[in-house]
Amino acid sequence: MIDVDLHIQLRRNGKPFLNSSSVELLREVHRCGSLRVAAMGLHCSYQHAWDFINEINRAAGKPVVVKQRGGAGGGGARLSEHGQRLLDEYRSVERQIRTFTKKLNAEMSF
Amino acid sequence: MIDVDLHIQLRRNGKPFLNSSSVELLREVHRCGSLRVAAMGLHCSYQHAWDFINEINRAAGKPVVVKQRGGAGGGGARLSEHGQRLLDEYRSVERQIRTFTKKLNAEMSF
């Protein structure tokens, strides 16, 4: 069976900065409130996750994830307001893409 | 400016086998009637282009590009009927994606 699969990228000034991998990490950060726990859940090192986040923050032009210092758990990480808006936007695009891909595949002549 | 960019993959039995890079190569083969000329146009080696084509042929389940032996030009390569159908299908998907992406971007709240 042949079907169409679509991959989403968000770009800033023409440069890709958010795709399904980075969104997965952001969602885990949002869910866990900790980059360490998010990294463990995604089976990558804490350092790798931070490098990835720093790259996203730079490419996004303003922070998407911010560190939270102190507190009972010894600090953590959370999405900034901008990061939350980006995730919301991505989710909305994802939903529309899913419907559109279904339509494309129903029309496929293979 | 933040915008959405979509990447198309055709999959066979769930496995990706055609994306924008492979389609670019197939289009060049179709245009030139020669893999050697197509490879030059895309600045890759003839061997690399053949390896890529063999990979696509295998993944597609049946040949997408076939060799043509003999003739004044010393043989060449052309799309099979299946290859032509795949390209037509891809083009139709591309066209629809372009329109859809415009619509998504017009609705983006960033």
Side-chain angles (χ1 to χ4, degrees):
Chain A
M1 194 195 104
I2 290 177
D3 69 349
V4 181
D5 189 34
L6 296 180
H7 294 254
I8 309 166
Q9 266 185 341
L10 292 193
R11 301 186 301 188
R12 178 171 165 260
N13 301 331
K15 287 190 187 160
F17 77 102
L18 218 60
N19 60 20
S20 60
S21 306
S22 30
V23 162
E24 196 183 359
L25 177 57
L26 297 183
R27 281 176 179 157
E28 278 297 289
V29 168
H30 182 55
R31 202 174 61 84
C32 310
S34 152
L35 190 60
R36 196 175 297 278
V37 180
M40 281 198 294
L42 297 172
H43 305 290
C44 72
S45 72
Y46 180 61
Q47 188 55 50
H48 179 76
W50 254 126
D51 290 346
F52 200 7
I53 290 290
N54 283 331
E55 205 179 296
I56 298 170
N57 280 348
R58 252 196 313 274
K62 49 186 168 177
V64 171
V65 171
V66 290
K67 286 191 189 188
Q68 281 185 306
R69 298 198 181 277
R78 63 168 178 80
L79 295 187
S80 66
E81 198 180 318
H82 184 57
Q84 190 57 60
R85 273 191 67 203
L86 281 172
L87 267 200
D88 289 346
E89 196 70 48
Y90 193 93
R91 186 177 298 121
S92 153
V93 169
E94 248 182 352
R95 207 169 25 229
Q96 295 182 69
I97 298 293
R98 213 171 294 134
T99 310
F100 188 65
T101 307
K102 270 188 198 159
K103 175 187 159 295
L104 282 175
N105 282 321
E107 289 168 358
M108 280 282 278
S109 61
F110 279 91
Chain B
M1 194 195 104
I2 290 176
D3 69 349
V4 180
D5 189 34
L6 295 181
H7 294 254
I8 309 166
Q9 268 186 340
L10 292 193
R11 301 185 301 188
R12 178 170 164 263
N13 302 331
K15 289 192 186 155
F17 78 103
L18 219 61
N19 60 20
S20 60
S21 307
S22 32
V23 161
E24 195 182 2
L25 177 57
L26 297 184
R27 281 175 180 158
E28 277 298 287
V29 168
H30 183 55
R31 202 174 62 83
C32 311
S34 154
L35 189 61
R36 196 174 297 279
V37 181
M40 281 195 298
L42 297 172
H43 307 288
C44 72
S45 73
Y46 180 60
Q47 187 56 49
H48 179 75
W50 254 126
D51 290 347
F52 199 7
I53 291 290
N54 282 332
E55 205 180 295
I56 298 170
N57 280 348
R58 250 196 315 272
K62 48 188 172 177
V64 170
V65 171
V66 290
K67 288 189 187 187
Q68 280 185 307
R69 298 200 180 276
R78 63 169 179 79
L79 295 188
S80 67
E81 198 179 318
H82 183 56
Q84 190 57 60
R85 274 190 66 203
L86 281 173
L87 267 199
D88 290 347
E89 196 70 46
Y90 193 93
R91 186 177 298 121
S92 152
V93 169
E94 249 182 351
R95 208 167 27 230
Q96 295 182 69
I97 297 294
R98 214 173 292 135
T99 311
F100 187 64
T101 307
K102 271 187 196 156
K103 176 188 158 293
L104 283 175
N105 282 322
E107 289 168 0
M108 280 282 277
S109 63
F110 280 92

